[in-house]
Amino acid sequence: MPNLNKLRTAITGGRGGDPATDAALSRLIRLRTTLTIFFALDGFLFAGWVVRIPAIKEQTGASASDLGLALLGVSAGAVVTMMFTGRMCARFGSHPVTVVSSLLLALSIALPARTHSALTLGLVLLLFGAAYGALNVSMNSAAVDFVAALRRPVMSSFHAAFSLGGMAGAGLGALVAGGLSASTHLLALTGVGLLVTVLAGPSLLRHTLPPAAGPAPSTGKAASGKAAAPRRLDRRTRRLVVLFGVIALCTAYGEGALADWGALHLAQDLGAGAGLAAAGYSLFALAMTVGRLSGTALLERLGQTRTLVAGGVLAALGMLLGALAPTTWLALAGFAVTGLGLANIFPVAVARAGALAGPSGVAAASTLGYGGMLLGPPAIGFLADWFSLPVALTTVALLAAAAALIGYTARNVPVPDSGAAAHRGVPAEIPADFPADFPAEAPATARTAHQEG
């Protein structure tokens, strides 16, 4: 109740009752809520697919290598569309692209259960991957614009919603895995995805913000319905965007590996039942949710460099335990520690790239990052055939440690002033007493990574 009272006081003019400020605050609250719904839906649908991978593998009769090649279809579809989606966001705005991509993702998730060979599975996963990649670029671009308007590092809260959705999707999958066919389950997910998108989409289309990068049009985005023209990036900015994209790649590799191979590792190598094996990803998603819900406070307390380095080291240690533990419960503990470590690295990297270069920065970092998430599972499949699945999963620890090292080397990279968006349609007078865990939050002073780290 105290948070609700603070929020109500701020909206009703607790600091002077300026109608324009109150209206802008109300829009920010509704926009954050709607964006959170789309992040949660994305995680829910993706987790619903990954927990049925063992059933799809059995249905198609694919070997580990064949399944890895089929999963490459998701990677190819996503990576091809990600850069294209960045240009679409810059031209039409990230909100319309988010709604369309969400509809396509919901429609495509039912297709894998209709296949009966690794080849046809790979082909339909091209479509699924294209929709998944487009949605992730567009909604992250929208979130970067929101963070710039709010002027606080709240990107992790959106990714917490993704993890929470993933936890719910994996938990539901674990409950129905023994009694519901993969075809029926994924078709039900299509219905859920379409329903949520139809209900939440109009709100997202109504509440727009100017993009975080590039010059603002004279009439404003809300008036024209289109984003500002993307600015041309210099060589140094492109290198920095790639650097943050590599950090995202190293950590997303682990998320993709656990999503696609975690359940199989628990079932095949440690003898866990179908329900407990499916719950492994749910536990991982829960740990990521906890880490991301505390991400804003953690970043403001420790700074970005310490958060990145500590997270990478923690994830590396956790994944070594998860991959090499001799019992199911120790492996599950390792999965949880890995989730806590990885929680805030990816959202911080994407947010930094977006602050530097707008939608094109989000697209570039997301292409590398989600490329790691989607290319990781096929790589794990090949390594599992050559060595073993536990050995293959130790590569997650290696890349997490690499992310920590790269994050430390990036400690002197300046953080762009996210408050620059305030003059483009968002009032700077956001009340300072907004609660940190509710839909709008107080501004924070821009700092450099060197000062934070």
Side-chain angles (χ1 to χ4, degrees), residues 304-386:
Q304 291 182 343
T305 297
R306 292 190 183 95
T307 300
L308 289 175
V309 173
V313 172
L314 187 64
L317 295 175
M319 197 60 235
L320 286 176
L321 177 63
L324 303 178
T327 67
T328 300
W329 295 107
L330 282 176
L332 289 172
F335 285 7
V337 172
T338 303
L340 287 173
L342 295 180
N344 294 300
I345 302 178
F346 187 93
V348 167
V350 172
R352 292 284 296 276
L356 283 166
S360 62
V362 174
S366 296
T367 300
L368 286 169
Y370 285 104
M373 177 183 288
L374 301 171
L375 289 171
I380 294 290
F382 288 119
L383 291 172
D385 269 355
W386 294 337

Side-chain angles (χ1 to χ4, degrees), residues 1-332:
M1 288 305 296
N3 285 339
L4 289 173
N5 292 334
K6 286 183 181 179
L7 182 65
R8 192 176 293 113
T9 299
I11 295 176
T12 56
R15 297 187 61 190
D18 178 65
T21 300
D22 292 345
L25 290 171
S26 182
R27 287 196 301 272
L28 286 175
I29 293 168
R30 290 193 296 270
L31 178 55
R32 184 173 185 180
T33 300
T34 305
L35 279 175
T36 299
I37 290 172
F38 276 96
F39 272 85
L41 177 64
D42 186 41
F44 180 80
L45 294 179
F46 184 73
W49 144 248
V50 299
V51 299
R52 300 316 297 246
I53 286 177
I56 301 297
K57 179 178 183 293
E58 182 178 354
Q59 173 183 301
T60 59
S63 66
S65 293
D66 290 338
L67 180 61
L69 284 172
L71 293 173
L72 191 61
V74 182
S75 309
V79 170
V80 166
T81 58
M82 277 179 169
M83 294 305 296
F84 173 75
T85 304
R87 292 193 292 271
M88 294 294 289
C89 288
R91 181 173 181 181
F92 299 109
S94 56
H95 294 186
V97 179
T98 296
V99 173
V100 172
S101 301
S102 182
L103 291 171
L104 293 176
L105 181 66
L107 291 171
S108 64
I109 197 172
L111 298 178
R114 306 290 174 177
T115 63
H116 297 281
S117 70
L119 176 60
T120 54
L121 176 62
L123 292 176
V124 301
L125 288 180
L126 280 170
L127 299 176
F128 178 78
Y132 181 72
L135 178 58
N136 278 279
V137 169
S138 57
M139 70 182 185
N140 273 289
S141 295
V144 166
D145 292 342
F146 181 87
V147 169
L150 197 61
R151 295 171 293 140
R152 282 200 73 193
V154 299
M155 191 72 166
S156 291
S157 68
F158 291 115
H159 287 258
F162 174 87
S163 297
L164 187 60
M167 182 184 66
L172 178 63
L175 288 175
V176 304
L180 201 64
S181 69
S183 177
T184 302
H185 179 201
L186 296 183
L187 186 61
L189 292 182
T190 291
V192 171
L194 292 175
L195 178 63
V196 172
T197 303
V198 168
L199 292 177
S203 176
L204 188 63
L205 294 174
R206 283 196 303 268
H207 300 104
T208 59
L209 287 173
S218 58
T219 58
K221 181 178 182 288
S224 66
K226 294 184 180 181
R231 59 185 169 89
R232 197 173 188 83
L233 304 180
D234 57 49
R235 182 176 301 177
R236 178 177 180 274
T237 301
R238 288 197 296 270
R239 286 200 300 265
L240 292 175
V241 168
V242 170
L243 179 69
F244 293 122
V246 171
I247 293 174
L249 182 152
C250 290
T251 56
Y253 177 96
E255 191 170 349
L258 281 174
D260 284 4
W261 293 102
L264 197 61
H265 169 56
L266 294 174
Q268 172 183 288
D269 300 315
L270 299 176
L276 185 59
Y281 181 72
S282 182
L283 181 62
F284 171 75
L286 173 62
M288 292 197 76
T289 302
V290 172
R292 286 171 171 175
L293 285 173
S294 60
T296 299
L298 188 67
L299 285 164
E300 291 180 333
R301 185 177 183 86
L302 298 180
Q304 291 182 343
T305 297
R306 292 190 183 95
T307 300
L308 289 175
V309 173
V313 172
L314 187 64
L317 295 175
M319 197 60 235
L320 286 176
L321 177 63
L324 303 178
T327 67
T328 300
W329 295 107
L330 282 176
L332 289 172

